[in-house]
Amino acid sequence: MSMPSADNATQVNKLARGLIYIVLILFAIYYLLPLYVMIVNSVKPLSEIREGNMLALPREFTLDPWYTAWSTAQIGVQATGLKPYFINSILMAVPAVAISTLLGALNGFVLTKWRFRGDNLVFGLMLLACFIPFQIALIPAARILGMLGLAGTTRGLVLVHVAYGLGFTTLFFRNYYAAFPTELVKAAQIDGASFFQIFRRILLPSSAPIIVVTVIWQFTNIWNDFLFGASFGDFKSQPMTVALNNLVSSSSGVKEYNVHFAGAILAALPTLFVYIVSGRYFVRGLMAGAVKG
């Protein structure tokens, strides 16, 4: 009686596993279908797209839509393409990510290994900043940028993203450093190491997993941001997302869907590259303490 029961259980497990794989494959197809449509239609001539059947492979392969989106597309007043706005996004995202990550690491170190009276209150207030909607911060941020003379500049956008992302980076590093042995820090203090020596030589070298988590999180949020770029950037400092919206909105007469698809993919390539290169380290960083607390 035991052998048939074991065989039946094995068959049921195989059937259940097969159904799970089928469901996962269907979800994957559903999730990747928009990306497939964008890629396929970005290498088609516009005349072929007008014929319909956007799921079909291109009969005539062309990269002209990509060149147009990058260099010659009409965005706003001038036909500059997305290239200058791509550079604006790089100049905005890289410093903002670096500064917010460094400040978050310092905050996490202070809140866990350099305790002071009221540190939990300070951490609670910084954690509260993670839940403040973007829209609430628009008017105060605009007034501060105006007083500092940074309105409409890339430096102003960097400052806004650093300030808004500091709560998240502090949370990540604080939870990560909470599991770090305090005895090592105390031993370094006894040996005469200063605050920055302990941070640079002891904590920072062991922080690679959480640094990867923070960089991916911050870079994705900053690169994909539209609201701050549209609110605080002028024509010369607007990021890629704002330019992509202008590309679609400023097209008059003929809608060049192939150019729009190519522009959308160009805007998504940096974040896609970051996830492909360091996605596995993102999971490791989370497992190492980014969600502990």
Side-chain angles (χ1 to χ4, degrees), residues 162-182:
V162 168
Y164 199 87
L166 194 57
F168 290 100
T169 60
T170 300
L171 172 64
F172 293 158
F173 279 97
R174 185 263 181 189
N175 289 345
Y176 184 81
Y177 288 155
F180 191 86
T182 307

Side-chain angles (χ1 to χ4, degrees), residues 263-284:
I265 297 173
L266 287 172
L269 280 179
T271 53
L272 183 62
F273 174 78
V274 169
Y275 272 104
I276 291 176
V277 171
S278 55
R280 56 178 180 174
Y281 301 106
F282 182 81
V283 178
R284 291 181 185 176

